[in-house]
Amino acid sequence: MKISVKNLFIFCVVLTLQNGFKMTAQNVQPVFQDDPIASTLDSIAQVKYFEKGLSKPVSPKAGKFHFAPDSIPRYDDATYAARLAKLDAESPFDLEYNDAVKAYIEMYAMRKRELLSRVMGMSQLYFPMIEQLLDKYNIPLEMKYLAIIESAMNPRIRSRAGAMGLWQFMYTTGRLYDLKVTSYVDERCDPYKETVAACEYLRFLYDMFGDWQLVLAAYNSGPGSVNKAIRRSGGKKTYWEIRPYLPKETQGYVPAFIAVNYVMNHTAEHNLYSSIPKRTFFEVDTVKVKQQITFEQISAVLNIPVEEVEFLNPCYKKGIIPYSPDAPYSLCLPAAKVGSFVTNEQAIYNYLKKEKPNSQDVMAMQEVQRVHIVKKGEHLNMIANKYKCTIYDLKLWNNLQTNYVKPGQQLVVYINKVGNDNTPEVKPQQQKATTTVLPQSVAATPEVIQANTNATTQTAQGKFYTIGKGDTLWEISKKTGTSVQEIKRLNNWGEKYMLLPGQKIKVG
């Protein structure tokens, strides 16, 4: 078995991080109050991220098994064992049935039904992408269920140890797999990029152990813990043989994985139905961003709620997509809106330049890594003030468990540096007396002039525009010559607003 120098380095680093690599599962207990896997599922109820992307499940009027909507089916051990045996016959995993597995089946299928329906809904957005990457890296497709155990399919969830994303990468481990974390972006929360990193790590573990069950145990507790368990067991090489020698939390991890495999393949038998996702994998697409842009601007230009932009782009921390000439960032949009964005891309960027002076946050920024050497008498609060960041940022960047630092210690810091576009800062101009002049960044085509003639009316109370079918706030702004922000102000609109055909709005 050959292990590259890079993988050997990663192994050494992972050994130092295994105690806090990610959220882990407690040993199987009759009561699940303190079980981290149950706790992960519970966390969904408090996360607004899911409210933005899911609707309540709808039970079919005549389901396959004709259960009542509130029915919770229960089965005997023989039925569970027989169903798992069928799955096991077609899986490289050892899907054994025992009391530990049964405990997790009952948790998912009985006690956490409403939360599991949300996980099922999220799987329609992420599973096709995950399956494509698992297939690319020659990893069993069943491994997609690991994301349910790790994060309950929530790319924004954060563990108590600081792990983030669908696959729960710690900051330092993420850096090993080229997942950037800056003030604007946390690529651990990028479903695609973190899945690539997870596939690379899983392949690394499989090259080490040659057994997918042991890979699961090592993903949870670290390869060092698995190697110790193998030695303590007298050289045994299967998960169930070394299980008594693994950490208690890891002893419940593989049974939970087997239970999720069972439940996700027998949802109808347990009268479980998915929450309805507002977008599935086949209803979204991505584009590369060529200039910095905010979620609010995207919302105004494409007439998409800000909440939906946030839901589809969980890796951007502050609602700003920065620009990087070396590695442009991606914007995920409803597929129906991608064509509109691409067709009008340059006009959108030109128009948004006029909107930039309205917000000091919208600046072309790059983050540069620096090393700070702690001086005598310095503490984290002083260092954070010096680099205009937070104590939390310093602890995250350097994987610090406490606020204590000592003289001579080296700390990684990231500082904002103005981008290299050399564009002079534009100061806000006073609004002109007339509002009939089009923005200079958008040419006045005959269609626009005709729209202005037919849809815009001038009264003593001001200038009004009648919304047409398919109008967006950005298009109205082009037609009337009034900025998006000014239209919002004139109509007392906040983050949420709705454009209805036939509706008259004030534009001047």
Side-chain angles (χ1 to χ4, degrees), residues 303 455 465-473 475-476 479 493 497-505:
N303 198 21
Y465 177 86
T466 303
I467 297 173
K469 186 176 180 181
D471 270 344
T472 67
L473 203 56
E475 289 169 338
I476 296 170
K479 294 174 183 178
W493 289 342
Y497 58 89
M498 183 175 293
L499 302 179
L500 301 174
Q503 175 187 3
K504 284 190 176 183
I505 62 172

Side-chain angles (χ1 to χ4, degrees), residues 151-201:
S151 65
M153 302 302 293
N154 177 1
R156 296 293 293 271
I157 198 168
R158 178 184 178 86
S159 76
R160 286 172 292 182
M164 293 287 292
L166 290 177
W167 302 93
Q168 290 291 283
F169 271 71
M170 292 292 288
Y171 174 81
T172 308
T173 312
R175 297 290 292 185
L176 289 175
Y177 286 92
D178 300 322
L179 295 176
K180 292 192 294 185
V181 179
T182 71
S183 297
Y184 285 126
V185 182
D186 190 339
E187 290 186 341
R188 296 174 300 169
C189 298
D190 184 313
Y192 181 85
K193 290 183 178 180
E194 195 188 27
T195 300
V196 170
C199 288
E200 292 179 355
Y201 184 56

